[in-house]
Amino acid sequence: MTEQISIVIPTFNRAEMLPKAIDSALEQTHPCEVIVVDHGSTDSTPEVAAEYGDKITYVRRDRDFGPHFCWLEGILHASGEYVHLQYDDDWIHPTFIEKCAKLLTSDVGFAFTGAEVVEDATGRQMMTQFLDWLPDTGVFENHLAEEKIVGSLISPGAAVFRRQVLIDALYQGRLPLQSSEYHGVGPDIFASLLSMLRYPKVGFVKEPLASFRAHDGSITIDAFKDKQKQADIAAAYNEVRHHYIELKAMQAVRGARA
């Protein structure tokens, strides 16, 4: 079984929601280190983090340079070979890390689980995600899930990635041939695509072990209310998909020449 896995929780002005994310990380049945990274919060986030003492590592910066720099700093602080990015408004079930860790063999780029979307106001499960992407819990060749992974999006909040892949996926600025962008959209999907370029298999747990909170402050929920934002996000994600297809073609050419 994989040894220590790091859970990185980037946060910004969500002091009221943050404890559930931290508590769910600390309640994992597999050994984990928990790193909370706060870039620029002006609410009571520092006081919330202080209540956990040495149970967590708290990294604080007064200036906010955007979410991906916050993610990157947390990942660079991580000591585990594998990292789970836990958003500050979501949570994971106690066996999430344990069940993913069992699938992280040497030829697996990342492991992910099913997820549920929970209505914040009522606690009602609104929908589930990813559960039909693969037939059962286990390790699978990438091509069996590639169409779903490329065509949709596996949230990092439902996955465990190799630390180095996450670092490499967190590009800053535009991709080489990019023409559309939206607030840095891209690294969240590129992490899984880059994993598939480097490793032949993916791990999957057919249970909804990640919970995504649906609330008005969510970037995704906010975008659902604005057609232009939806279009901008879709265009930015398509840039990353095109980049993946280009890289895959380049990889095939190199393989043919070898």
Side-chain angles (χ1 to χ4, degrees), residues 101-246:
K102 291 178 180 178
L103 305 175
L104 293 172
T105 54
S106 61
D107 54 357
V108 170
F110 72 102
F112 70 105
T113 78
E116 61 178 355
V117 179
V118 178
E119 186 176 47
D120 189 36
T122 65
R124 177 179 63 90
Q125 184 189 78
M126 300 171 63
M127 67 178 78
T128 58
Q129 297 178 320
F130 320 133
L131 289 175
D132 61 344
W133 284 20
L134 285 163
D136 203 353
T137 295
V139 172
F140 299 88
E141 297 287 339
N142 286 338
H143 69 86
L144 295 174
E146 184 179 27
E147 183 177 352
K148 290 281 191 182
I149 293 172
V150 175
S152 188
L153 165 68
I154 295 175
S155 168
V160 177
F161 291 99
R162 291 174 181 270
R163 178 177 180 269
Q164 189 60 55
V165 169
L166 278 176
I167 291 171
D168 295 342
L170 284 172
Y171 56 81
Q172 305 301 327
R174 294 187 175 209
L175 290 167
L177 303 177
Q178 186 169 352
S179 60
S180 300
E181 60 184 335
Y182 183 84
H183 297 311
V185 161
D188 48 356
I189 186 174
F190 192 50
S192 56
L193 302 183
L194 184 59
S195 294
M196 292 195 298
L197 286 170
R198 294 183 177 176
Y199 297 90
K201 296 180 181 180
V202 61
F204 176 62
V205 180
K206 197 177 178 67
E207 297 178 60
L209 299 182
S211 297
F212 303 150
R213 189 194 309 246
H215 60 96
D216 289 339
S218 164
I219 293 174
T220 304
I221 299 300
D222 177 61
F224 284 155
K225 301 175 182 179
D226 188 315
K227 290 186 177 180
Q228 185 57 53
K229 287 182 180 179
Q230 290 181 48
D232 291 343
I233 289 173
Y237 277 131
N238 282 336
E239 294 281 4
V240 183
R241 294 184 178 104
H242 294 155
H243 187 57
Y244 168 72
I245 292 169
E246 292 158 358

Side-chain angles (χ1 to χ4, degrees), residues 57-128:
T57 297
Y58 177 56
V59 181
R60 162 80 184 182
R61 300 284 178 253
D62 290 333
R63 294 184 65 184
D64 174 29
F65 292 100
H68 300 147
F69 285 101
C70 190
W71 297 7
L72 183 59
E73 181 162 26
I75 294 162
L76 290 172
H77 273 81
S79 60
E81 180 184 355
Y82 296 90
V83 175
H84 168 64
L85 271 175
Q86 177 64 50
Y87 295 120
D88 57 1
D89 54 343
D90 299 330
W91 62 92
I92 47 177
H93 294 227
T95 59
F96 174 88
I97 294 294
E98 178 184 351
K99 292 186 176 182
C100 285
K102 291 178 180 178
L103 305 175
L104 293 172
T105 54
S106 61
D107 54 357
V108 170
F110 72 102
F112 70 105
T113 78
E116 61 178 355
V117 179
V118 178
E119 186 176 47
D120 189 36
T122 65
R124 177 179 63 90
Q125 184 189 78
M126 300 171 63
M127 67 178 78
T128 58

